[in-house]
Amino acid sequence: MAILKIARMGHPVLIRRADPVPDPTAPEIRRLVADMLETMEDAGGVGLAAPQVHVPLRLFVFRVPAGRADGGEAVGNTAIINPVLEAMEDVVALGWEGCLSIPGLRGVVPRAVRIRYRGLDAAGEPMTGEAAGFQARVMQHEQDHLNGVLYPMRMTDFTRFGFDEELARASREEESQP
Ligand code: NI
């Protein structure tokens, strides 16, 4: 396994549409998934799409840590190949997002609250399911990477976009107001 280099915003691989994985059971795809999981964990992220490691193919990995499942269930390291996502209803929620390709920043992004997904798992077997809340947000964020879309391109309120450190300081100061 290996830790892969993560492309940062500005690199053209992040704004092109990725191609379908032609052979999901190929050994190089298995290796890519293992390396992406290791890279995601090393970077402390909750999702990573193949274009972020300079591979323009339609697959991503993600996880939902117990502390961030917001009422839903924690999800261990998961890979999905050639994923298709659809919103189950028109309800959209705003939530903070960051991205390993846009280090140091975060912003508030509207996302569908409930989605249905299908694709292939790391063994090439069909997988399908529904997701809500944080998991739905992470999956939509990663799916966007496969279409060359970065989260700032989804934002509608740029007053809620900034550097992590500043936002954390501002919320600390707000909390300490009498
Ligand atoms: Ni991202």
Side-chain angles (χ1 to χ4, degrees):
M1 300 216 291
I3 291 170
L4 306 171
K5 188 176 180 201
I6 297 176
R8 289 184 302 166
M9 183 166 63
H11 193 293
V13 74
L14 294 174
I15 52 167
R16 62 159 282 191
R17 186 179 168 84
D19 300 318
V21 176
D23 179 2
T25 58
E28 58 265 31
I29 295 300
R30 194 157 302 200
R31 193 174 320 122
L32 174 63
V33 166
D35 288 347
M36 285 173 59
L37 287 168
E38 191 179 5
T39 303
M40 175 178 73
E41 292 198 336
D42 176 71
V46 292
L48 186 67
Q52 291 182 276
V53 291
H54 307 85
V55 178
L57 290 176
R58 303 189 75 78
L59 77 96
F60 64 78
V61 299
F62 69 98
R63 58 182 173 151
V64 178
R68 303 182 67 175
D70 56 28
E73 290 188 5
V75 179
N77 285 344
T78 304
I80 184 164
I81 297 169
N82 295 336
V84 176
L85 266 59
E86 55 181 339
M88 291 174 66
E89 52 198 27
D90 289 337
V91 183
V92 165
L94 296 171
W96 287 98
E97 293 185 19
C99 180
L100 294 175
S101 294
I102 314 174
L105 290 163
R106 60 190 162 99
V108 166
V109 185
R111 298 284 185 191
V113 172
R114 292 169 60 81
I115 60 159
R116 196 175 278 127
Y117 61 86
R118 62 180 192 275
L120 301 172
D121 67 15
E125 298 294 325
M127 65 186 280
T128 164
E130 295 175 2
F134 185 76
Q135 183 183 348
R137 176 171 295 278
V138 171
M139 292 185 80
Q140 289 169 86
H141 176 118
E142 301 310 327
Q143 180 76 1
D144 267 355
H145 276 299
L146 308 185
N147 296 325
V149 174
L150 300 170
Y151 79 81
M153 295 152 84
R154 293 277 186 204
M155 289 184 62
T156 52
D157 178 2
F158 284 92
T159 67
R160 298 217 277 168
F161 184 46
F163 288 95
D164 253 329
E165 284 179 15
E166 296 291 350
L167 291 161
R169 184 183 355 208
S171 74
R172 273 199 308 274
E173 282 171 7
E174 204 166 277
E175 280 170 18
S176 65
Q177 299 283 320

